Amino acid sequence: MKQAQFVKSNSVSWDEFEALCEQSSAESLPINFPNLYRKVCNDLAIAQSRQYSPVLIEQINRLVQLGQKRLYLSRSNQFSEIWHVARTAFPRALYENRLMLGINLLAFWGLALIAFIWVTIDPDAAYTFLGQGTVLNIEQMYNPSGSVQSAERGASQDLMMFGVYIYNNIGIAFQMFAGGVLFCVGAAFFLLFNSFYFGAVAAHIVNVGFEGPFFSFVITHGSFELTAIIIASAAGCQIGYGLLNPGQYTRAYAMKQAAEKALPLIVGAFLMLVIAAFIEAFWSPRDIANEVKYLVGSGCWAYVVFRLYRGMRYGA
């Protein structure tokens, strides 16, 4: 292809790409911007391989440099956008979804309390609900004289566990959010399962006398983790409710509207789960006096409950 034909066939896309690069950094880039950037890079490679004029090569190279700068600027802005959502849109979403959040809060803590009382009264029920293998693993994990509690953990293991906790926590939250598409059934199932599991485990730990290592370990990160899981479930249920009660809209449009309304909840829950994973990996397993952990954990619970109350009550 001759240079004139090459320029004619690509000049429109180059102009479009340049206009996107020069727009304000506050404006969001279209979803196909990376594809446009790759195309301009490919055009530069073609121009160089065919030995087109230095002026044209310099022109396309300038576009590549503009695109690279804009692309990485956009990526850095994504963090500020997430932080902005967490500080403004997330509290508003707590207020707008306060009824669904209230239902999920009552369901989680109510069923956890029922499971706790049940296993406390009937200790053998733990083996029925959790399975003997799970119960034995939990006992080994929180036995004060066991190998898990007495073993020292290095920095590399902390970092590895940080990744494991993020993977597990976000996986559970995603199950709840995506489960809302099944008309709330999936979200409700995962919420109630985790609620009952937590209550049964806590009661069994108390029954065998290992409550010190257990509660000192979970109290701090549990404030963020458990609350985030409930928020993710509420977001999923909000989508499911939109499908169950679309009103005058089609179910597809109602689901889209509900998802947009619930999206800030997922962003907030994601950040809370990252914080929880960091605490669980680097603070919770430390050999620190239980009284100190209870004090710090109580402070975290007070902060989370306060922010949740302000969001649900005032949207702030």
Side-chain angles (χ1 to χ4, degrees), residues 33-60:
F33 184 83
N35 293 332
L36 294 174
Y37 175 69
R38 282 192 290 270
K39 180 185 180 303
V40 173
C41 291
N42 185 59
D43 291 341
L44 176 61
I46 291 174
Q48 291 173 334
S49 65
R50 294 177 180 174
Q51 297 183 348
Y52 289 151
S53 70
V55 175
L56 177 60
I57 291 175
E58 177 58 30
Q59 177 188 348
I60 304 174

PDB file of all heavy atoms in Angstrom, residues 33-60:
ATOM      1  N   PHE A  33     -10.685   2.362  24.135  1.00  0.00           N
ATOM      2  CA  PHE A  33      -9.459   3.158  24.003  1.00  0.00           C
ATOM      3  C   PHE A  33      -8.206   2.288  23.916  1.00  0.00           C
ATOM      4  O   PHE A  33      -7.332   2.564  23.084  1.00  0.00           O
ATOM      5  CB  PHE A  33      -9.336   4.153  25.155  1.00  0.00           C
ATOM      6  CG  PHE A  33      -8.153   5.074  25.031  1.00  0.00           C
ATOM      7  CD1 PHE A  33      -8.226   6.220  24.246  1.00  0.00           C
ATOM      8  CD2 PHE A  33      -6.954   4.802  25.682  1.00  0.00           C
ATOM      9  CE1 PHE A  33      -7.132   7.068  24.111  1.00  0.00           C
ATOM     10  CE2 PHE A  33      -5.862   5.635  25.560  1.00  0.00           C
ATOM     11  CZ  PHE A  33      -5.957   6.774  24.775  1.00  0.00           C
ATOM     12  N   PRO A  34      -8.057   1.246  24.737  1.00  0.00           N
ATOM     13  CA  PRO A  34      -6.864   0.390  24.592  1.00  0.00           C
ATOM     14  C   PRO A  34      -6.746  -0.226  23.204  1.00  0.00           C
ATOM     15  O   PRO A  34      -5.629  -0.373  22.676  1.00  0.00           O
ATOM     16  CB  PRO A  34      -7.067  -0.685  25.662  1.00  0.00           C
ATOM     17  CG  PRO A  34      -7.921  -0.032  26.691  1.00  0.00           C
ATOM     18  CD  PRO A  34      -8.856   0.838  25.906  1.00  0.00           C
ATOM     19  N   ASN A  35      -7.880  -0.583  22.583  1.00  0.00           N
ATOM     20  CA  ASN A  35      -7.846  -1.136  21.222  1.00  0.00           C
ATOM     21  C   ASN A  35      -7.377  -0.084  20.219  1.00  0.00           C
ATOM     22  O   ASN A  35      -6.594  -0.395  19.295  1.00  0.00           O
ATOM     23  CB  ASN A  35      -9.219  -1.664  20.826  1.00  0.00           C
ATOM     24  CG  ASN A  35      -9.633  -2.869  21.643  1.00  0.00           C
ATOM     25  OD1 ASN A  35      -8.788  -3.618  22.118  1.00  0.00           O
ATOM     26  ND2 ASN A  35     -10.929  -3.060  21.807  1.00  0.00           N
ATOM     27  N   LEU A  36      -7.845   1.150  20.398  1.00  0.00           N
ATOM     28  CA  LEU A  36      -7.407   2.233  19.514  1.00  0.00           C
ATOM     29  C   LEU A  36      -5.907   2.484  19.679  1.00  0.00           C
ATOM     30  O   LEU A  36      -5.191   2.735  18.697  1.00  0.00           O
ATOM     31  CB  LEU A  36      -8.190   3.513  19.827  1.00  0.00           C
ATOM     32  CG  LEU A  36      -9.690   3.502  19.524  1.00  0.00           C
ATOM     33  CD1 LEU A  36     -10.349   4.782  20.030  1.00  0.00           C
ATOM     34  CD2 LEU A  36      -9.931   3.344  18.020  1.00  0.00           C
ATOM     35  N   TYR A  37      -5.448   2.393  20.931  1.00  0.00           N
ATOM     36  CA  TYR A  37      -4.021   2.593  21.194  1.00  0.00           C
ATOM     37  C   TYR A  37      -3.183   1.504  20.524  1.00  0.00           C
ATOM     38  O   TYR A  37      -2.143   1.797  19.901  1.00  0.00           O
ATOM     39  CB  TYR A  37      -3.785   2.606  22.704  1.00  0.00           C
ATOM     40  CG  TYR A  37      -2.332   2.678  23.101  1.00  0.00           C
ATOM     41  CD1 TYR A  37      -1.584   3.823  22.880  1.00  0.00           C
ATOM     42  CD2 TYR A  37      -1.704   1.584  23.703  1.00  0.00           C
ATOM     43  CE1 TYR A  37      -0.243   3.889  23.242  1.00  0.00           C
ATOM     44  CE2 TYR A  37      -0.364   1.637  24.064  1.00  0.00           C
ATOM     45  CZ  TYR A  37       0.358   2.797  23.833  1.00  0.00           C
ATOM     46  OH  TYR A  37       1.685   2.854  24.185  1.00  0.00           O
ATOM     47  N   ARG A  38      -3.635   0.268  20.637  1.00  0.00           N
ATOM     48  CA  ARG A  38      -2.897  -0.831  19.992  1.00  0.00           C
ATOM     49  C   ARG A  38      -2.878  -0.666  18.473  1.00  0.00           C
ATOM     50  O   ARG A  38      -1.877  -0.986  17.812  1.00  0.00           O
ATOM     51  CB  ARG A  38      -3.528  -2.174  20.379  1.00  0.00           C
ATOM     52  CG  ARG A  38      -3.151  -2.632  21.776  1.00  0.00           C
ATOM     53  CD  ARG A  38      -3.549  -4.079  21.998  1.00  0.00           C
ATOM     54  NE  ARG A  38      -4.988  -4.244  22.070  1.00  0.00           N
ATOM     55  CZ  ARG A  38      -5.677  -4.177  23.201  1.00  0.00           C
ATOM     56  NH1 ARG A  38      -5.049  -3.949  24.343  1.00  0.00           N
ATOM     57  NH2 ARG A  38      -6.981  -4.344  23.195  1.00  0.00           N
ATOM     58  N   LYS A  39      -3.977  -0.155  17.921  1.00  0.00           N
ATOM     59  CA  LYS A  39      -4.028   0.058  16.467  1.00  0.00           C
ATOM     60  C   LYS A  39      -3.013   1.114  16.030  1.00  0.00           C
ATOM     61  O   LYS A  39      -2.315   0.946  15.007  1.00  0.00           O
ATOM     62  CB  LYS A  39      -5.430   0.488  16.038  1.00  0.00           C
ATOM     63  CG  LYS A  39      -5.551   0.714  14.530  1.00  0.00           C
ATOM     64  CD  LYS A  39      -6.902   1.257  14.151  1.00  0.00           C
ATOM     65  CE  LYS A  39      -6.974   1.478  12.638  1.00  0.00           C
ATOM     66  NZ  LYS A  39      -5.915   2.374  12.123  1.00  0.00           N
ATOM     67  N   VAL A  40      -2.906   2.201  16.793  1.00  0.00           N
ATOM     68  CA  VAL A  40      -1.945   3.245  16.448  1.00  0.00           C
ATOM     69  C   VAL A  40      -0.514   2.705  16.558  1.00  0.00           C
ATOM     70  O   VAL A  40       0.340   3.009  15.708  1.00  0.00           O
ATOM     71  CB  VAL A  40      -2.137   4.473  17.360  1.00  0.00           C
ATOM     72  CG1 VAL A  40      -1.027   5.495  17.128  1.00  0.00           C
ATOM     73  CG2 VAL A  40      -3.489   5.117  17.092  1.00  0.00           C
ATOM     74  N   CYS A  41      -0.253   1.900  17.565  1.00  0.00           N
ATOM     75  CA  CYS A  41       1.074   1.267  17.689  1.00  0.00           C
ATOM     76  C   CYS A  41       1.368   0.369  16.493  1.00  0.00           C
ATOM     77  O   CYS A  41       2.493   0.344  15.969  1.00  0.00           O
ATOM     78  CB  CYS A  41       1.151   0.453  18.980  1.00  0.00           C
ATOM     79  SG  CYS A  41       1.142   1.439  20.489  1.00  0.00           S
ATOM     80  N   ASN A  42       0.341  -0.346  16.051  1.00  0.00           N
ATOM     81  CA  ASN A  42       0.504  -1.208  14.879  1.00  0.00           C
ATOM     82  C   ASN A  42       0.742  -0.380  13.622  1.00  0.00           C
ATOM     83  O   ASN A  42       1.574  -0.745  12.767  1.00  0.00           O
ATOM     84  CB  ASN A  42      -0.738  -2.081  14.711  1.00  0.00           C
ATOM     85  CG  ASN A  42      -0.587  -3.084  13.588  1.00  0.00           C
ATOM     86  OD1 ASN A  42       0.322  -3.911  13.595  1.00  0.00           O
ATOM     87  ND2 ASN A  42      -1.481  -3.016  12.609  1.00  0.00           N
ATOM     88  N   ASP A  43       0.032   0.742  13.533  1.00  0.00           N
ATOM     89  CA  ASP A  43       0.232   1.631  12.375  1.00  0.00           C
ATOM     90  C   ASP A  43       1.657   2.170  12.356  1.00  0.00           C
ATOM     91  O   ASP A  43       2.268   2.304  11.272  1.00  0.00           O
ATOM     92  CB  ASP A  43      -0.765   2.798  12.429  1.00  0.00           C
ATOM     93  CG  ASP A  43      -2.195   2.351  12.180  1.00  0.00           C
ATOM     94  OD1 ASP A  43      -2.379   1.245  11.624  1.00  0.00           O
ATOM     95  OD2 ASP A  43      -3.128   3.089  12.557  1.00  0.00           O
ATOM     96  N   LEU A  44       2.206   2.490  13.513  1.00  0.00           N
ATOM     97  CA  LEU A  44       3.584   2.977  13.583  1.00  0.00           C
ATOM     98  C   LEU A  44       4.552   1.898  13.103  1.00  0.00           C
ATOM     99  O   LEU A  44       5.493   2.187  12.343  1.00  0.00           O
ATOM    100  CB  LEU A  44       3.924   3.393  15.011  1.00  0.00           C
ATOM    101  CG  LEU A  44       5.366   3.839  15.264  1.00  0.00           C
ATOM    102  CD1 LEU A  44       5.718   5.064  14.411  1.00  0.00           C
ATOM    103  CD2 LEU A  44       5.599   4.130  16.740  1.00  0.00           C
ATOM    104  N   ALA A  45       4.321   0.667  13.527  1.00  0.00           N
ATOM    105  CA  ALA A  45       5.197  -0.436  13.111  1.00  0.00           C
ATOM    106  C   ALA A  45       5.131  -0.630  11.590  1.00  0.00           C
ATOM    107  O   ALA A  45       6.157  -0.879  10.935  1.00  0.00           O
ATOM    108  CB  ALA A  45       4.801  -1.713  13.834  1.00  0.00           C
ATOM    109  N   ILE A  46       3.922  -0.526  11.033  1.00  0.00           N
ATOM    110  CA  ILE A  46       3.763  -0.677   9.583  1.00  0.00           C
ATOM    111  C   ILE A  46       4.498   0.443   8.847  1.00  0.00           C
ATOM    112  O   ILE A  46       5.214   0.202   7.851  1.00  0.00           O
ATOM    113  CB  ILE A  46       2.262  -0.670   9.217  1.00  0.00           C
ATOM    114  CG1 ILE A  46       1.581  -1.946   9.743  1.00  0.00           C
ATOM    115  CG2 ILE A  46       2.077  -0.554   7.703  1.00  0.00           C
ATOM    116  CD1 ILE A  46       0.075  -1.950   9.552  1.00  0.00           C
ATOM    117  N   ALA A  47       4.321   1.685   9.330  1.00  0.00           N
ATOM    118  CA  ALA A  47       4.969   2.829   8.672  1.00  0.00           C
ATOM    119  C   ALA A  47       6.486   2.693   8.704  1.00  0.00           C
ATOM    120  O   ALA A  47       7.178   3.016   7.723  1.00  0.00           O
ATOM    121  CB  ALA A  47       4.528   4.126   9.353  1.00  0.00           C
ATOM    122  N   GLN A  48       7.009   2.227   9.801  1.00  0.00           N
ATOM    123  CA  GLN A  48       8.463   2.053   9.906  1.00  0.00           C
ATOM    124  C   GLN A  48       8.966   0.914   9.029  1.00  0.00           C
ATOM    125  O   GLN A  48      10.009   1.034   8.375  1.00  0.00           O
ATOM    126  CB  GLN A  48       8.842   1.789  11.378  1.00  0.00           C
ATOM    127  CG  GLN A  48       8.663   2.996  12.282  1.00  0.00           C
ATOM    128  CD  GLN A  48       8.881   2.657  13.750  1.00  0.00           C
ATOM    129  OE1 GLN A  48       8.693   1.511  14.156  1.00  0.00           O
ATOM    130  NE2 GLN A  48       9.261   3.662  14.549  1.00  0.00           N
ATOM    131  N   SER A  49       8.217  -0.189   8.981  1.00  0.00           N
ATOM    132  CA  SER A  49       8.654  -1.337   8.179  1.00  0.00           C
ATOM    133  C   SER A  49       8.596  -1.024   6.690  1.00  0.00           C
ATOM    134  O   SER A  49       9.390  -1.553   5.900  1.00  0.00           O
ATOM    135  CB  SER A  49       7.797  -2.560   8.494  1.00  0.00           C
ATOM    136  OG  SER A  49       6.443  -2.347   8.103  1.00  0.00           O
ATOM    137  N   ARG A  50       7.648  -0.182   6.271  1.00  0.00           N
ATOM    138  CA  ARG A  50       7.519   0.171   4.848  1.00  0.00           C
ATOM    139  C   ARG A  50       8.330   1.409   4.490  1.00  0.00           C
ATOM    140  O   ARG A  50       8.276   1.869   3.352  1.00  0.00           O
ATOM    141  CB  ARG A  50       6.047   0.402   4.512  1.00  0.00           C
ATOM    142  CG  ARG A  50       5.199  -0.872   4.633  1.00  0.00           C
ATOM    143  CD  ARG A  50       3.735  -0.600   4.358  1.00  0.00           C
ATOM    144  NE  ARG A  50       2.936  -1.827   4.481  1.00  0.00           N
ATOM    145  CZ  ARG A  50       1.600  -1.877   4.407  1.00  0.00           C
ATOM    146  NH1 ARG A  50       0.909  -0.742   4.215  1.00  0.00           N
ATOM    147  NH2 ARG A  50       0.961  -3.016   4.534  1.00  0.00           N
ATOM    148  N   GLN A  51       9.020   1.967   5.471  1.00  0.00           N
ATOM    149  CA  GLN A  51       9.903   3.113   5.255  1.00  0.00           C
ATOM    150  C   GLN A  51       9.173   4.297   4.632  1.00  0.00           C
ATOM    151  O   GLN A  51       9.615   4.902   3.655  1.00  0.00           O
ATOM    152  CB  GLN A  51      11.096   2.704   4.377  1.00  0.00           C
ATOM    153  CG  GLN A  51      11.966   1.636   5.031  1.00  0.00           C
ATOM    154  CD  GLN A  51      13.179   1.276   4.192  1.00  0.00           C
ATOM    155  OE1 GLN A  51      13.282   1.640   3.026  1.00  0.00           O
ATOM    156  NE2 GLN A  51      14.131   0.555   4.791  1.00  0.00           N
ATOM    157  N   TYR A  52       7.995   4.605   5.276  1.00  0.00           N
ATOM    158  CA  TYR A  52       7.284   5.802   4.856  1.00  0.00           C
ATOM    159  C   TYR A  52       8.083   7.024   5.286  1.00  0.00           C
ATOM    160  O   TYR A  52       9.106   6.918   5.972  1.00  0.00           O
ATOM    161  CB  TYR A  52       5.883   5.837   5.453  1.00  0.00           C
ATOM    162  CG  TYR A  52       4.924   4.813   4.848  1.00  0.00           C
ATOM    163  CD1 TYR A  52       3.874   4.290   5.591  1.00  0.00           C
ATOM    164  CD2 TYR A  52       5.076   4.375   3.535  1.00  0.00           C
ATOM    165  CE1 TYR A  52       2.986   3.375   5.049  1.00  0.00           C
ATOM    166  CE2 TYR A  52       4.192   3.453   2.985  1.00  0.00           C
ATOM    167  CZ  TYR A  52       3.157   2.942   3.749  1.00  0.00           C
ATOM    168  OH  TYR A  52       2.293   2.030   3.197  1.00  0.00           O
ATOM    169  N   SER A  53       7.623   8.210   4.931  1.00  0.00           N
ATOM    170  CA  SER A  53       8.387   9.431   5.176  1.00  0.00           C
ATOM    171  C   SER A  53       8.627   9.660   6.669  1.00  0.00           C
ATOM    172  O   SER A  53       7.768   9.309   7.504  1.00  0.00           O
ATOM    173  CB  SER A  53       7.636  10.634   4.597  1.00  0.00           C
ATOM    174  OG  SER A  53       6.462  10.891   5.353  1.00  0.00           O
ATOM    175  N   PRO A  54       9.783  10.223   7.024  1.00  0.00           N
ATOM    176  CA  PRO A  54      10.073  10.510   8.442  1.00  0.00           C
ATOM    177  C   PRO A  54       9.018  11.396   9.091  1.00  0.00           C
ATOM    178  O   PRO A  54       8.753  11.265  10.292  1.00  0.00           O
ATOM    179  CB  PRO A  54      11.432  11.204   8.387  1.00  0.00           C
ATOM    180  CG  PRO A  54      12.052  10.719   7.113  1.00  0.00           C
ATOM    181  CD  PRO A  54      10.914  10.556   6.153  1.00  0.00           C
ATOM    182  N   VAL A  55       8.423  12.302   8.299  1.00  0.00           N
ATOM    183  CA  VAL A  55       7.394  13.201   8.852  1.00  0.00           C
ATOM    184  C   VAL A  55       6.184  12.391   9.323  1.00  0.00           C
ATOM    185  O   VAL A  55       5.644  12.614  10.416  1.00  0.00           O
ATOM    186  CB  VAL A  55       6.970  14.243   7.801  1.00  0.00           C
ATOM    187  CG1 VAL A  55       5.809  15.084   8.331  1.00  0.00           C
ATOM    188  CG2 VAL A  55       8.143  15.143   7.432  1.00  0.00           C
ATOM    189  N   LEU A  56       5.731  11.423   8.504  1.00  0.00           N
ATOM    190  CA  LEU A  56       4.573  10.603   8.865  1.00  0.00           C
ATOM    191  C   LEU A  56       4.899   9.720  10.069  1.00  0.00           C
ATOM    192  O   LEU A  56       4.076   9.585  11.000  1.00  0.00           O
ATOM    193  CB  LEU A  56       4.164   9.736   7.670  1.00  0.00           C
ATOM    194  CG  LEU A  56       2.991   8.774   7.927  1.00  0.00           C
ATOM    195  CD1 LEU A  56       1.735   9.538   8.317  1.00  0.00           C
ATOM    196  CD2 LEU A  56       2.739   7.886   6.710  1.00  0.00           C
ATOM    197  N   ILE A  57       6.095   9.132  10.052  1.00  0.00           N
ATOM    198  CA  ILE A  57       6.489   8.274  11.175  1.00  0.00           C
ATOM    199  C   ILE A  57       6.526   9.075  12.473  1.00  0.00           C
ATOM    200  O   ILE A  57       6.053   8.611  13.521  1.00  0.00           O
ATOM    201  CB  ILE A  57       7.865   7.626  10.890  1.00  0.00           C
ATOM    202  CG1 ILE A  57       7.736   6.609   9.748  1.00  0.00           C
ATOM    203  CG2 ILE A  57       8.409   6.943  12.153  1.00  0.00           C
ATOM    204  CD1 ILE A  57       9.058   6.001   9.319  1.00  0.00           C
ATOM    205  N   GLU A  58       7.033  10.295  12.404  1.00  0.00           N
ATOM    206  CA  GLU A  58       7.081  11.148  13.590  1.00  0.00           C
ATOM    207  C   GLU A  58       5.675  11.520  14.065  1.00  0.00           C
ATOM    208  O   GLU A  58       5.390  11.575  15.267  1.00  0.00           O
ATOM    209  CB  GLU A  58       7.885  12.409  13.290  1.00  0.00           C
ATOM    210  CG  GLU A  58       7.953  13.418  14.437  1.00  0.00           C
ATOM    211  CD  GLU A  58       8.558  12.832  15.713  1.00  0.00           C
ATOM    212  OE1 GLU A  58       9.407  11.918  15.615  1.00  0.00           O
ATOM    213  OE2 GLU A  58       8.175  13.281  16.809  1.00  0.00           O
ATOM    214  N   GLN A  59       4.770  11.747  13.110  1.00  0.00           N
ATOM    215  CA  GLN A  59       3.391  12.081  13.446  1.00  0.00           C
ATOM    216  C   GLN A  59       2.715  10.926  14.201  1.00  0.00           C
ATOM    217  O   GLN A  59       2.060  11.141  15.227  1.00  0.00           O
ATOM    218  CB  GLN A  59       2.607  12.400  12.168  1.00  0.00           C
ATOM    219  CG  GLN A  59       1.127  12.685  12.408  1.00  0.00           C
ATOM    220  CD  GLN A  59       0.348  12.813  11.101  1.00  0.00           C
ATOM    221  OE1 GLN A  59       0.943  12.914  10.008  1.00  0.00           O
ATOM    222  NE2 GLN A  59      -0.971  12.785  11.188  1.00  0.00           N
ATOM    223  N   ILE A  60       2.882   9.715  13.688  1.00  0.00           N
ATOM    224  CA  ILE A  60       2.257   8.549  14.340  1.00  0.00           C
ATOM    225  C   ILE A  60       2.935   8.264  15.681  1.00  0.00           C
ATOM    226  O   ILE A  60       2.269   7.907  16.658  1.00  0.00           O
ATOM    227  CB  ILE A  60       2.327   7.305  13.426  1.00  0.00           C
ATOM    228  CG1 ILE A  60       1.673   7.594  12.076  1.00  0.00           C
ATOM    229  CG2 ILE A  60       1.626   6.123  14.094  1.00  0.00           C
ATOM    230  CD1 ILE A  60       1.820   6.465  11.068  1.00  0.00           C
TER     231      ILE A  60
END
